[in-house]
Amino acid sequence: MLATAGAAWADINVGVTVSATGPAASLGIPEKNTIALMPQTIAGQKINYIVLDDASDTTKAVTNTRRLITEDKVDIVLGSTTTPNSLAMIDAVAEAQVPMISMAASARIIEPMDAKKRWVFKTPQNDIMMSLAIASHMADAGVKTVGFIGFADAYGEGWFQEFSKAAGLKGLNIVASERYNRNDASVTAQVLKLVGAKPDAILIAGSGTPAALPQTGLVERGYAGKVYQTHGVANNDFLRVGGKAVEGTYLPAGPVLVAAQLPANHPLKKSAMEYITKYEAAHGKGSVSTFGAHAWDAGLLMSAAVPVALKKAQPGTPAFRAALRDALEQIKELPGAHGIFNMSPGDHLGLDQRARVMVKIEGGTWKYQP
């Protein structure tokens, strides 16, 4: 049951803004679905979730955040789905001193740490961790030259910066770099430039279904090199839209994407399978995506922090929100669906290399690459 505003002070109000419509809907819908699976009580306190849709729009994300804080008096904000939206929300939560857990990927959401970002945490793996996974895989496969095409926004730019670093470390030469918009209908000009540069491999830095567009173009132009995507495509909608064009693609992902294929002794197998079982019970077999799992991990972090904060203050007060922020920062060895969280004052993500695996798209499904 998703509650509305006006609850008693004894309750904990959780504000959520996700991109349930717009270009990032294939990421935001499973996140919204996951909120409904989160605990209704924590440490004896009733939890009210106020869930809003920001339609993949930065202005709406900020409006939602301010409304949740001022009208709904939330103790914590979960969201949003995309990097641009999450970056835009930071000022609002920092001003009000309300902790926020983002489900978006860019390291810039939490780095460099400053007075504003000390209120902000996130659950998806940083781009540098995933960039290193891709660059290592490329180098091991004998790739020397790489083409890059990414979104013309904070997601694409963040990826280009981090992948450039990883490519340098692995001796890879980026020979072409292109950008496109999430809602573009065609990327023919960019694809022609990439193919013309004849790279051994191409990395597409997009998320959700719009990331399939350049790959479809590359296949149509007969590109025969290796194609890599980011963890931003790890949902079934991408497989459906990409179809045969995305066969053979490599990407890094959270272990939850291939949890059933992981060896029994993998540190994430149990916690990842717990989420999958719960989500599929509500939405059917094969319905899980890594994006919903980022929301699940946000819920696990919140659930771990609430009992600690309750020892210091009552919900609905500035003291409780500050205690919640402090408690999030102290979380240690918490197993989630994507990784094991070890937060600190300087690290508001807290994931290590256990939070990633390499995956290949084979036969229209995700195949774990040991």
Side-chain angles (χ1 to χ4, degrees):
M1 165 70 187
L2 300 179
T4 52
W9 277 139
D11 297 353
I12 295 169
N13 291 328
V14 178
V16 182
T17 179
V18 290
S19 303
T21 57
S26 68
L27 290 64
I29 291 167
E31 291 171 357
K32 186 181 178 183
N33 290 344
T34 298
I35 303 295
L37 305 175
M38 288 183 185
Q40 302 300 301
T41 59
I42 300 173
Q45 297 287 138
K46 185 168 181 288
I47 311 292
N48 299 315
Y49 297 94
I50 302 105
V51 183
L52 303 177
D53 174 22
D54 57 39
S56 310
D57 178 73
T58 51
T59 307
K60 191 85 167 67
V62 175
T63 304
N64 284 356
T65 305
R66 293 197 185 280
R67 181 195 135 175
L68 291 166
I69 290 166
T70 56
E71 294 179 28
D72 300 307
K73 306 284 192 280
V74 299
D75 294 298
I76 187 168
V77 172
L78 306 184
S80 179
T81 303
T82 68
T83 291
N85 284 11
S86 297
L87 289 169
M89 289 159 59
I90 292 172
D91 280 351
V93 295
E95 268 168 40
Q97 301 198 331
V98 174
M100 159 180 157
I101 307 176
S102 171
M103 283 90 85
S106 175
R108 287 192 277 177
I109 296 163
I110 53 165
E111 295 173 7
M113 185 57 64
D114 58 22
K116 288 181 180 178
K117 290 178 183 175
R118 71 186 291 269
W119 290 93
V120 184
F121 300 79
K122 76 182 188 78
T123 53
Q125 300 86 340
N126 274 345
D127 300 340
I128 189 64
M129 182 191 295
M130 297 312 214
S131 291
L132 280 166
I134 292 172
S136 300
H137 192 275
M138 285 179 174
D140 290 347
V143 169
K144 298 280 190 285
T145 55
V146 185
F148 178 95
I149 179 167
F151 284 158
D153 63 19
Y155 186 85
E157 287 313 311
W159 258 94
F160 185 72
Q161 281 177 12
E162 301 304 335
F163 181 72
S164 296
K165 290 180 207 165
L169 290 171
K170 295 293 176 181
L172 304 171
N173 183 21
I174 299 173
V175 293
S177 174
E178 296 293 326
R179 300 289 181 278
Y180 72 110
N181 297 309
R182 290 176 189 244
N183 52 4
D184 281 353
S186 166
V187 288
T188 305
Q190 297 95 317
V191 164
L192 287 171
K193 287 180 189 167
L194 288 168
V195 173
K198 297 189 171 64
D200 299 330
I202 290 172
L203 170 60
I204 300 169
S207 65
T209 50
L213 184 65
Q215 194 155 355
T216 304
L218 288 167
V219 169
E220 285 169 358
R221 298 288 164 182
Y223 178 70
K226 287 182 167 56
V227 178
Y228 290 77
Q229 291 270 2
T230 73
H231 54 312
V233 303
N235 68 12
N236 291 336
D237 265 8
F238 174 78
L239 294 178
R240 177 180 58 76
V241 170
K244 286 198 164 47
V246 301
E247 277 290 306
T249 304
Y250 292 99
L251 64 140
V256 68
L257 188 66
V258 288
Q261 301 172 42
L262 297 174
N265 64 348
H266 192 283
L268 271 301
K269 179 142 186 151
K270 181 170 175 276
S271 50
M273 287 306 297
E274 276 170 16
Y275 170 65
I276 291 169
T277 304
K278 201 154 194 174
Y279 194 93
E280 289 188 341
H283 297 282
K285 191 158 173 54
S287 57
V288 164
S289 83
T290 63
F291 304 103
H294 292 313
W296 181 251
D297 286 349
L300 290 177
L301 290 169
M302 178 184 72
S303 299
V306 163
V308 179
L310 284 169
K311 290 175 184 162
K312 296 188 177 173
Q314 278 294 306
T317 63
F320 180 73
R321 296 191 284 273
L324 202 50
R325 191 216 74 84
D326 293 348
L328 285 166
E329 209 167 67
Q330 302 306 317
I331 287 170
K332 295 286 178 267
E333 287 298 301
L334 175 73
H338 272 283
I340 296 180
F341 291 90
N342 284 286
M343 298 288 185
S344 73
D347 183 359
H348 281 195
L349 168 63
L351 293 176
D352 56 26
Q353 295 303 320
R354 292 175 289 185
R356 66 155 173 91
V357 293
M358 284 302 292
V359 175
K360 187 180 185 185
I361 298 174
E362 261 179 32
T365 59
W366 316 103
K367 287 285 187 288
Y368 173 54
Q369 302 289 292

